[in-house]
Amino acid sequence: MTATVPARVNLITLGVTDRAASQRFYEKLGWRPKARAHEASITFLALDNVALALWDRDKLAEDAKLPLTPPGFGGFTLAINLPDEKAVDAALDAAVAAGGRLLKPGTKADWGGYSGYFADPDGHPWEVAFNPFMPLDARGLMVLPD
């Protein structure tokens, strides 16, 4: 069966309460804005294999025809896989130093890896993990085993 919706993600948009503050946070992580929309109310950051957009929460909710809910856990996390446990701890430390909030320190996971969580200024949770069962290629992109 051919997929009628391509199996990919090109853009993740985070609804933020203060776009400038969120942009500063992500820039402190070393992520750089690449383009801005004509309204100057949205910021695009080019990541390795996807773009991350920062847009006003109320405008995002209105555009998606969803109710505006309080910031916080929305039933999903964003994740970054790294090559080892030391890199996980360093990334968590960097996120906290940039103004993020540590949700869970790097910890051995029952599935055999190592992971921790931080939240950005709007409470969006990011997992940072080392998964020995899903290697990373030369660019640092995850390779799903067959």
Side-chain angles (χ1 to χ4, degrees):
M1 179 177 155
T2 304
T4 57
V5 176
R8 66 173 174 258
V9 174
N10 300 101
L11 176 70
I12 296 169
T13 304
L14 298 180
V16 299
T17 54
D18 182 338
R19 188 189 52 78
S22 291
Q23 181 175 329
R24 283 191 301 275
F25 169 76
Y26 286 104
E27 285 178 345
K28 286 178 184 176
L29 296 183
W31 303 4
R32 297 289 171 240
K34 294 295 182 182
R36 289 197 180 101
H38 65 279
E39 294 179 42
S41 66
I42 190 164
T43 297
F44 294 98
L45 300 122
L47 307 184
D48 283 337
N49 200 38
V50 69
L52 180 69
L54 307 173
W55 196 22
D56 298 330
R57 285 182 56 79
D58 56 346
K59 290 179 183 175
L60 181 58
E62 180 183 335
D63 191 52
K65 304 296 184 216
L66 291 169
L68 184 60
T69 58
F73 184 61
F76 71 94
T77 63
L78 301 160
I80 301 167
N81 279 19
L82 295 172
D84 56 46
E85 295 177 11
K86 203 173 188 179
V88 169
D89 290 334
L92 291 170
D93 289 345
V96 170
R101 183 170 42 98
L102 185 65
L103 300 175
K104 176 185 162 188
T107 306
K108 295 253 187 223
D110 59 3
W111 46 266
Y114 184 85
S115 73
Y117 289 84
F118 71 87
D120 75 1
D122 281 277
H124 298 291
W126 286 83
E127 179 185 23
V128 182
F130 163 62
N131 185 337
F133 309 108
M134 293 188 182
L136 303 177
D137 68 13
R139 290 179 45 206
L141 303 178
M142 191 169 61
V143 177
L144 291 175
D146 289 329

